[in-house]
Amino acid sequence: MMKEFIDLRSDTVTKPTPPMRKAMAEAEVGDDVFGEDPTVNALQEKVAHLLGKEAALFVPSGTMANQLAIKSHTQPGDEVIIEASSHPYNFEGGAGAALSGIQFNCLKGVRGILEASQIEEAIRPADHHFAVTRLVCLENTHNRGGGSIYPLEKMAEIYRLAQSKGLLLHLDGARLWNASVATGIKPHEYAQWADSVSVCLSKGLGAPIGSLVASSKTFIDRVHRFRKMFGGGMRQVGILAAAGIYALDHHLERLKEDHQNAKRLAVGLKEFKGVSIDPKHVETNIVIFDVANTGMTGAQVAEAMKKEGVLVHAFGKTQIRLVTHLDVTAEDIEKALKAFGKVLGRK
Ligand code: TLP
């Protein structure tokens, strides 16, 4: 079937494949609020194992996973140190303030990556004037940072600092799978440097829904209580967990193709007028570039690309984000580059 559009807006746009749908249709189910869904239990065990944690809990979205972790780690009035362009701070509807009553202390990173020294400086002194610094949140890969990978040794350094200062660390690992496949560093090697980790099945892995929070048994018990409170307790949800198990078994290694496709896009885009991009910054499946020198806004480029059959995401005034995924082929990438050539012109 001919695609109507080549959709590079996000890796969340993938549709479940026929074998994934078959696995969903055949899933054994039970009432997960009673803990009786065998497929959910199997997924939770699998993800806990992959992340080297005692337990994991299935939740509907990455946003809920992050916010449950923040809620479970903090008290109202606490401060959470986070990178200024991070997902939990920018793109989760103000949930940290609304649901947990915390305030964020936002630090500017380099493509989303913070240094331990910056975090150390931001920790509030023990003085009644100040909020209590409780939690550090990191994001790996970093979405707004252009899919950048947190170097393992930086994570370790930040975790050791957090521990020495009595702080907790949550990792938004919505795309931790991409970091792992790109570097060969196992998910549990990253996760060892975090008290809690959230991961998504509905981004690069191609499941229609689902995220998990992984941590110690005691912490996941607390997350479970808040999941109920936030309305995230689901019933015969093994149908969805089956898609997640299928995705982990079949779609993990292929993330390499997405990374190659993203690199090809970045290298190709460099040839067009007014595009500012450094392909060496494209480490995984996200490509962010600036179009200020084309004389067009990001929204205008996105509109013109849509007419050429390619959907892209305008970010800010002059930035475009492209994300490669399961439903775009190497051939689609060449077509997308041709379309960019038409819209922007060659140098
Ligand atoms: N990111 C989406 C949008 O919300 C921007 C996307 O298209 O990239 N953490 C990270 C790092 C994410 O990128 C996302 C989704 C989430 C958490 C939230 O996941 P969902 O959408 O399942 O709530």
Side-chain angles (χ1 to χ4, degrees), residues 10 12 61-63 66 87 92 139 143 172 174-175 203 321:
S10 181
T12 57
S61 69
T63 299
N66 283 334
H87 200 280
E92 300 187 2
E139 187 174 317
N143 180 349
D172 177 349
R175 297 186 181 83
K203 312 251 159 3
R321 185 186 75 161

Side-chain angles (χ1 to χ4, degrees), residues 142-155:
H142 200 288
N143 180 349
R144 199 66 177 82
S148 46
I149 300 172
Y150 243 101
L152 189 66
E153 58 284 5
K154 273 199 190 264
M155 282 192 62

Side-chain angles (χ1 to χ4, degrees), residues 9-13 59-66 85-88 90-92 138-144 172-176 198-203 209-211 286 313 315 321 323:
R9 288 171 303 167
S10 181
D11 48 6
T12 57
V13 301
V59 301
S61 69
T63 299
M64 195 187 277
N66 283 334
S85 63
S86 68
H87 200 280
N90 289 283
F91 307 117
E92 300 187 2
L138 305 180
E139 187 174 317
N140 193 8
T141 64
H142 200 288
N143 180 349
R144 199 66 177 82
D172 177 349
R175 297 186 181 83
L176 188 64
S198 55
V199 288
C200 290
L201 306 166
S202 58
K203 312 251 159 3
I209 187 171
S211 295
I286 300 182
H313 187 50
F315 240 29
R321 185 186 75 161
V323 189

Side-chain angles (χ1 to χ4, degrees), residues 100-222:
S100 300
I102 55 96
Q103 63 186 28
F104 284 114
N105 185 350
C106 297
L107 311 180
K108 199 154 170 32
V110 176
R111 292 194 305 283
I113 309 300
L114 294 173
E115 297 296 328
S117 56
Q118 284 176 278
I119 295 174
E120 186 162 15
E121 258 178 56
I123 299 170
R124 304 276 182 188
D127 174 314
H128 292 169
H129 288 86
F130 301 117
V132 174
T133 306
R134 183 82 61 193
L135 179 67
V136 177
C137 284
L138 305 180
E139 187 174 317
N140 193 8
T141 64
H142 200 288
N143 180 349
R144 199 66 177 82
S148 46
I149 300 172
Y150 243 101
L152 189 66
E153 58 284 5
K154 273 199 190 264
M155 282 192 62
E157 199 188 340
I158 294 172
Y159 188 63
R160 286 196 195 102
L161 168 75
Q163 289 223 308
S164 72
K165 303 285 181 185
L167 308 183
L168 297 155
L169 195 149
H170 172 69
L171 174 65
D172 177 349
R175 297 186 181 83
L176 188 64
W177 317 116
N178 294 82
S180 170
V181 165
T183 56
I185 296 167
K186 299 275 179 234
H188 70 84
E189 295 177 77
Y190 281 116
Q192 69 181 312
W193 305 119
D195 296 293
S196 61
V197 185
S198 55
V199 288
C200 290
L201 306 166
S202 58
K203 312 251 159 3
L205 292 185
I209 187 171
S211 295
L212 293 102
V213 189
S215 183
S216 66
K217 274 199 177 119
T218 326
F219 185 77
I220 291 301
D221 191 49
R222 195 168 155 76

Side-chain angles (χ1 to χ4, degrees), residues 201-324:
L201 306 166
S202 58
K203 312 251 159 3
L205 292 185
I209 187 171
S211 295
L212 293 102
V213 189
S215 183
S216 66
K217 274 199 177 119
T218 326
F219 185 77
I220 291 301
D221 191 49
R222 195 168 155 76
V223 172
H224 204 147
R225 165 175 288 277
F226 287 124
R227 183 184 74 173
K228 190 70 196 157
M229 194 189 277
F230 287 8
M234 300 180 284
R235 302 289 177 175
Q236 287 70 20
V237 74
I239 293 179
L240 300 175
I245 293 175
Y246 184 90
L248 286 166
D249 288 343
H250 297 91
H251 294 164
L252 203 49
E253 282 309 312
R254 65 150 305 286
L255 291 174
K256 280 197 182 103
E257 292 170 36
D258 297 345
H259 300 168
Q260 280 160 8
N261 285 339
K263 199 60 143 186
R264 167 69 190 123
L265 269 174
V267 170
L269 280 164
K270 225 173 138 16
E271 305 305 316
F272 303 131
K273 269 194 224 145
V275 170
S276 311
I277 188 169
D278 187 344
K280 84 168 180 300
H281 291 158
V282 176
E283 298 176 84
T284 55
N285 70 329
I286 300 182
V287 181
I288 295 180
F289 62 101
D290 199 279
V291 292
N293 294 332
T294 63
M296 280 190 266
T297 63
Q300 285 167 333
V301 172
E303 198 46 45
M305 286 298 288
K306 190 172 177 186
K307 292 197 180 113
E308 299 301 323
V310 182
L311 301 180
V312 306
H313 187 50
F315 240 29
K317 201 161 177 220
T318 61
Q319 283 192 320
I320 300 277
R321 185 186 75 161
L322 310 175
V323 189
T324 56

